[in-house]
Amino acid sequence: MTIYTHVIGVRMITIETLSGIADAVQEAIAKIPDSASKREKVCMGADGTPTSQIDKIAENAALMYIERNSIPLNILSEEIGFVDNGSEETLVMDPIDGTSNAIASIPYYTVSLAVGKSRLSDIRLGYLRNLATGDVYCAEKGKGAYKNGEPMHVRRADLNELFMMIYQGNCAHPDSVALAKRVKSSRSFGCASLEMAIVAEGESDGYYMNSARYTRAIRVVDIAASYIILKEAGGEVYDLDGAVMDMPFDLDHRSNFLAVGDRKVFDFVMKNDVLPHDGLVYGVYTNVSIRNAAEYTKQVIDALEGQDYIVDSEIAAVLGIPGTPLQEMDADIVIVIGGDGTLLRAMQNTDVPVIGINGGSVGFLAEIDKEHIAEGISRLLAGDYAMDTRFKIASWYDGGYLPDSVNEAVVHTDTVAKIRHYRVYVDDILAADFRADGVVISTPTGSTCYAMSLGAPYMDPNVEAMLIVPMAPYKYTTRPFLVPATSKVTVENVMNKGCMIVLDGQSETKMHGESSIQFMMSSKKARLIRFKDDFYSRVREKLVNGE
């Protein structure tokens, strides 16, 4: 195999350089006497997670080797964070990927090393070593990918014989389980870098990483090396919205993604909104406080004759039949009877597709009119519909996640007719500083709701953006603005006075003075079943011409 070089000053950074770092790591961890010593927690890493002894020993060995050999690179590592050595390029390093495997002596753990300037797209060198088996994967940009010195390539996929690597950890999204049922075979090794390398060598068709918690999604240090190795082998890495993934070199950004050897694998995996017509279980969820709630529910049940269905416990008690709480339903589709608030409440308690029967007033999100229940359910059972997928907003406050929002997240004063001081940061950069009653962070779905009533524009659902809307701002020049949906939006309650956090009008959380809340795109999606996918006709019908 040819060793390619790149000159920085008088020192050449090569694959051989990275191999020397890996040697130092392998030699150091071989001296750890037992599993108990490996797993001992020694400190908190720069990424905010506890650092095990094996991680720290591996990182220290790499850092000492780099210093001893005067290797001119900045360093970004899982435990120590970013070290600026004044160099043009940065070594993105995960000294041990698959720590739990290493501790348990399961032979799937690696040292992962990549060299680039500032983000995935400009990485030029990647080196990955399985520290248990000694297998080496490496690549240089434009020069191909190699395993143990031999060229390697991805394979063409047979969709009937798909073999997928799928993250199945304790934060795995429900879509991960669903995908495992759709493909011929799947595995989860607990080592993202190695699982991507298996795709690169043509032994697997793809690696699907989808964490339901942002804090457990992938960081750049985990996949920097395997990213270029896979690309040089002919594969690609996409985020779950279909864009080619290109993460910056920092520990703050995380992402879910799909790494594939063949683009048609991405198309197959992401078309998970196509449901079979037969064998589905339907959930029925009704707002018992609306007029004729029992009558509408009976009509739905009659229309579901011959189908498997589950009825929510509240309306079931009214009807005198067995019921199950919505959050415990094992249903494929949930039929929601009520207004938009009922639909939003349902989507906070389930991730399966929902279809609304308008038992309220406007019913902007509902699809079936209460006068046409039987006809609507008949179309549903026939599969005569489209799936409208919308992103949700995840809210992180006081060390934990709050329920996801489909429409909007609102921060407002906890006292009537009182003003507060807010600062809004977009990706940690100050974007707005104002006094107002509150601030709304809206999805496109919610742009026709609270945000619109505050004078903000409504958004086509295909726009991937969050709308930030000040509520009754003190200054007229304080206006709504849009940010990319992938942004992290932080709202700071500057004054030492309380606020309330209200999510979709359904849940309320006290916000302390002088505290902040973060909003970001959730890994979960809201899925609305539609008979017609025409947003603008719906706007005219429900908002312009409606009562």
Side-chain angles (χ1 to χ4, degrees):
M1 172 186 161
T2 302
I3 300 297
Y4 300 98
T5 63
H6 182 78
V7 178
I8 298 180
V10 296
R11 184 61 189 266
M12 294 183 293
I13 305 299
T14 67
I15 291 292
E16 187 175 23
T17 308
L18 303 185
S19 179
I21 297 172
D23 288 342
V25 170
Q26 186 144 29
E27 181 180 349
I29 66 171
K31 297 176 181 178
I32 306 176
D34 51 39
S35 293
S37 300
K38 292 177 182 178
R39 75 166 60 93
E40 181 184 354
K41 298 295 186 289
V42 294
C43 63
M44 291 296 291
D47 63 345
T49 60
T51 298
S52 299
Q53 181 88 284
I54 188 173
D55 292 307
K56 197 61 182 174
I57 287 175
E59 183 179 73
N60 286 345
L63 295 174
M64 290 173 63
Y65 181 90
I66 292 166
E67 182 178 1
R68 186 168 59 248
N69 290 276
S70 302
I71 298 174
L73 290 170
N74 304 320
I75 297 165
L76 178 68
S77 182
E78 181 179 34
E79 314 306 336
I80 200 172
F82 182 71
V83 178
D84 187 351
N85 291 323
S87 301
E88 181 182 350
E89 293 188 309
T90 295
L91 174 68
V92 183
M93 173 173 67
D94 190 350
I96 301 289
D97 181 30
T99 299
S100 295
N101 290 344
I103 292 170
S105 297
I106 297 171
Y108 300 110
Y109 55 98
T110 67
V111 54
S112 173
L113 306 166
V115 176
K117 291 186 177 180
S118 63
R119 56 194 317 111
L120 285 176
S121 59
D122 61 39
I123 292 175
R124 64 175 186 83
L125 289 176
Y127 182 97
L128 191 71
R129 182 186 296 181
N130 183 332
L131 292 166
T133 66
D135 287 327
V136 172
Y137 305 81
C138 60
E140 181 166 355
K141 196 169 190 176
K143 305 296 183 180
Y146 297 83
K147 179 182 179 182
N148 298 330
E150 297 296 324
M152 62 179 184
H153 305 279
V154 298
R155 69 186 185 191
R156 292 179 62 85
D158 179 348
L159 297 183
N160 294 314
E161 298 289 333
L162 286 183
F163 174 53
M164 295 288 297
M165 317 303 295
I166 304 175
Y167 167 70
Q168 296 285 11
N170 60 10
C171 289
H173 191 278
D175 285 351
S176 299
V177 177
L179 177 61
K181 293 179 180 179
R182 294 173 59 211
V183 301
K184 180 69 177 293
S185 186
S186 66
R187 295 292 184 273
S188 179
F189 289 167
C191 180
S193 60
L194 188 59
E195 288 167 289
M196 288 177 67
I198 292 172
V199 180
E201 64 178 312
E203 297 298 335
S204 173
D205 295 295
Y207 173 55
Y208 182 66
M209 171 69 202
N210 192 356
S211 169
R213 291 296 185 197
Y214 180 79
T215 53
R216 296 297 298 276
I218 285 292
R219 301 152 304 182
V220 71
V221 291
D222 300 313
I223 63 165
S226 50
Y227 178 90
I228 186 173
I229 290 168
L230 177 59
K231 287 180 73 75
E232 286 297 313
E236 190 56 270
V237 185
Y238 300 95
D239 65 31
L240 298 189
D241 292 318
V244 174
M245 194 165 76
D246 190 16
M247 298 173 71
F249 286 178
D250 63 45
L251 295 180
D252 295 327
H253 288 78
R254 292 175 178 261
S255 182
N256 291 314
F257 67 92
L258 176 56
V260 298
D262 189 332
R263 169 70 199 203
K264 66 183 179 183
V265 177
F266 177 89
D267 296 333
F268 172 87
V269 171
M270 299 314 296
K271 288 180 180 177
N272 61 351
D273 290 334
V274 180
L275 299 176
H277 295 171
D278 301 319
L280 298 179
V281 177
Y282 297 88
V284 181
Y285 177 70
T286 305
N287 181 352
V288 296
S289 65
I290 64 171
R291 290 184 60 189
N292 303 318
E295 177 188 337
Y296 298 150
T297 305
K298 288 178 183 177
Q299 290 184 44
V300 170
I301 291 174
D302 289 344
L304 289 173
E305 184 178 1
Q307 306 293 323
D308 291 330
Y309 62 86
I310 308 167
V311 179
D312 181 65
S313 52
E314 283 195 52
I315 190 65
V318 175
L319 298 175
I321 60 175
T324 302
L326 174 62
Q327 57 268 34
E328 298 177 15
M329 283 185 185
D330 187 12
D332 298 296
I333 293 174
V334 173
I335 301 164
V336 180
I337 305 168
D340 285 345
T342 309
L343 265 166
L344 293 171
R345 188 159 55 252
M347 287 187 283
Q348 280 195 342
N349 287 281
T350 182
D351 293 325
V352 305
V354 301
I355 184 168
I357 296 173
N358 184 22
S361 52
V362 176
F364 190 82
L365 298 176
E367 195 62 29
I368 302 173
D369 189 86
K370 55 196 172 189
E371 281 78 32
H372 301 93
I373 291 176
E375 176 188 345
I377 299 302
S378 177
R379 291 187 65 177
L380 176 66
L381 298 181
D384 182 18
Y385 58 79
M387 198 77 71
D388 186 3
T389 302
R390 310 285 185 89
F391 77 82
K392 298 181 180 182
I393 295 175
S395 304
W396 176 268
Y397 179 67
D398 199 21
Y401 279 98
L402 304 178
D404 284 351
S405 309
V406 178
N407 263 3
E408 77 274 308
V410 179
V411 178
H412 66 73
T413 62
D414 61 356
T415 307
V416 176
K418 296 293 184 181
I419 200 168
R420 294 286 186 267
H421 183 187
Y422 301 98
R423 292 194 183 109
V424 178
Y425 300 83
V426 178
D427 292 331
D428 299 321
I429 298 173
L430 181 64
D433 189 336
F434 55 87
R435 294 177 182 270
D437 287 357
V439 59
V440 176
I441 312 297
S442 173
T443 66
T445 306
S447 69
T448 54
C449 190
Y450 203 167
M452 188 177 68
S453 72
L454 292 169
Y458 60 77
M459 285 191 286
D460 186 305
N462 292 314
V463 175
E464 290 282 303
M466 286 188 283
L467 180 59
I468 301 173
V469 188
M471 300 169 59
Y474 177 70
K475 291 184 178 180
Y476 179 76
T477 52
T478 303
R479 311 303 297 164
F481 60 98
L482 287 172
V483 300
T486 52
S487 301
K488 179 182 71 175
V489 176
T490 303
V491 175
E492 178 186 359
N493 176 16
V494 179
M495 302 168 68
N496 189 20
K497 295 182 180 180
C499 286
M500 293 296 295
I501 303 164
V502 184
L503 306 176
D504 278 346
Q506 305 299 316
S507 66
E508 296 184 355
T509 302
K510 177 75 174 179
M511 183 179 188
H512 307 296
E514 299 178 336
S515 67
S516 299
I517 180 170
Q518 295 179 350
F519 303 104
M520 63 208 78
M521 180 189 286
S522 172
S523 61
K524 299 181 180 180
K525 304 289 185 181
R527 290 182 285 173
L528 294 162
I529 291 175
R530 299 294 196 198
F531 294 145
K532 55 182 181 181
D533 188 16
D534 186 345
F535 170 73
Y536 297 102
S537 292
R538 188 178 296 272
V539 168
R540 292 195 306 274
E541 176 188 347
K542 300 285 187 177
L543 300 181
V544 178
N545 302 324
E547 296 180 359

